[in-house]
Amino acid sequence: MPSENEWVSSLVPRLESAIHGLSMKGATTAVSQGMRLPYRYEVLTFKHNAPETLVHSGYETDLLIYDMLDQGSWSPRVVIECKIGSVTTHDAITCSRKASTHKQVHPYLRYGILIGNWGNRCFPARLFRHGEHFDFMATWAGTEASLSEWESFVAVVTDEIRSAREVHSILSAGRAAKTDHTLVHRPLLFRRTT
């Protein structure tokens, strides 16, 4: 069995290939392992009424899906925490807390957890109990997803990328934003894969 780090590395090219068609005009959607994403920004000093000195801290992400924009800028879309074989209550609490702090800095960010090599066990209830900041949670029977596991996972990740972009668009437009949205719904979806 691969180590968790090797497993996550093997997911990068496969996931990048699966979401390749989601690239926007002027942007390329990419997947990276181990990128640090800020979870806090603090303003230490102001000059007149504008922040002058900022400091930030970041957590390393297992998988980060982001849009590469023009001139080297990028915007995070989805973070996926990855575990192999087990997930403890501590893991669920810690990863959910990371999701919460990341979302404070990036309110459009979508966050999930993937557990590989889970076997045919029931979905871990501790993730429901302690993973309140996850937007999605998935288990695979092995470290390699079955076709139905992979298709379901990619469908969810694709939806999450689109949601992150839409929320980012709304938030970046500010108060004067005109939107044709009249309803926002966060459904809870359950899928059984074989």
Side-chain angles (χ1 to χ4, degrees):
M1 179 168 42
S3 71
E4 199 168 274
N5 193 48
E6 291 167 336
W7 178 57
V8 173
S9 291
S10 74
L11 295 174
V12 172
R14 190 169 180 205
L15 190 54
E16 200 162 60
S17 176
I19 64 170
H20 179 72
L22 291 175
S23 293
M24 306 181 313
K25 182 180 177 186
T28 302
T29 305
V31 181
S32 190
Q33 177 186 8
M35 280 183 70
R36 295 186 76 73
L37 188 63
Y39 66 88
R40 75 173 175 95
Y41 270 92
E42 294 176 358
V43 179
L44 299 180
T45 62
F46 287 83
K47 185 160 190 157
H48 306 293
N49 288 331
E52 178 183 45
T53 307
L54 296 169
V55 294
H56 65 85
S57 297
Y59 290 130
E60 186 175 296
T61 59
D62 288 338
L63 290 172
L64 175 64
I65 301 170
Y66 57 99
D67 286 330
M68 286 292 301
L69 308 169
D70 59 350
Q71 300 175 3
S73 62
W74 57 278
S75 186
R77 299 300 180 207
V78 178
V79 171
I80 305 168
E81 295 291 337
C82 300
K83 299 289 177 194
I84 290 183
S86 69
V87 62
T88 65
T89 298
H90 181 265
D91 292 334
I93 292 168
T94 301
C95 291
S96 183
R97 179 71 181 135
K98 282 175 68 176
S100 173
T101 57
H102 274 141
K103 288 179 177 189
Q104 289 173 16
V105 175
H106 315 279
Y108 49 85
L109 184 68
R110 309 300 289 170
Y111 220 98
I113 187 167
L114 171 63
I115 306 163
N117 206 34
W118 187 248
N120 293 321
R121 295 177 280 172
C122 294
F123 196 87
R126 66 183 61 88
L127 284 181
F128 286 115
R129 241 178 235 111
H130 304 292
E132 66 269 12
H133 298 290
F134 292 133
D135 298 301
F136 63 97
M137 301 176 249
T139 61
W140 291 348
T143 53
E144 287 295 318
S146 69
L147 181 59
S148 61
E149 286 172 333
W150 181 251
E151 288 174 347
S152 293
F153 181 70
V154 169
V156 168
V157 169
T158 298
D159 288 345
E160 296 296 347
I161 293 168
R162 289 183 176 128
S163 294
R165 288 175 177 162
E166 188 66 29
V167 172
H168 188 198
S169 174
I170 292 167
L171 293 176
S172 63
R175 284 188 191 177
K178 300 265 192 277
T179 179
D180 58 356
H181 299 87
T182 58
L183 176 68
V184 175
H185 178 212
R186 295 182 182 188
L188 189 56
L189 173 68
F190 294 91
R191 290 188 184 155
R192 285 188 176 87
T193 56
T194 55

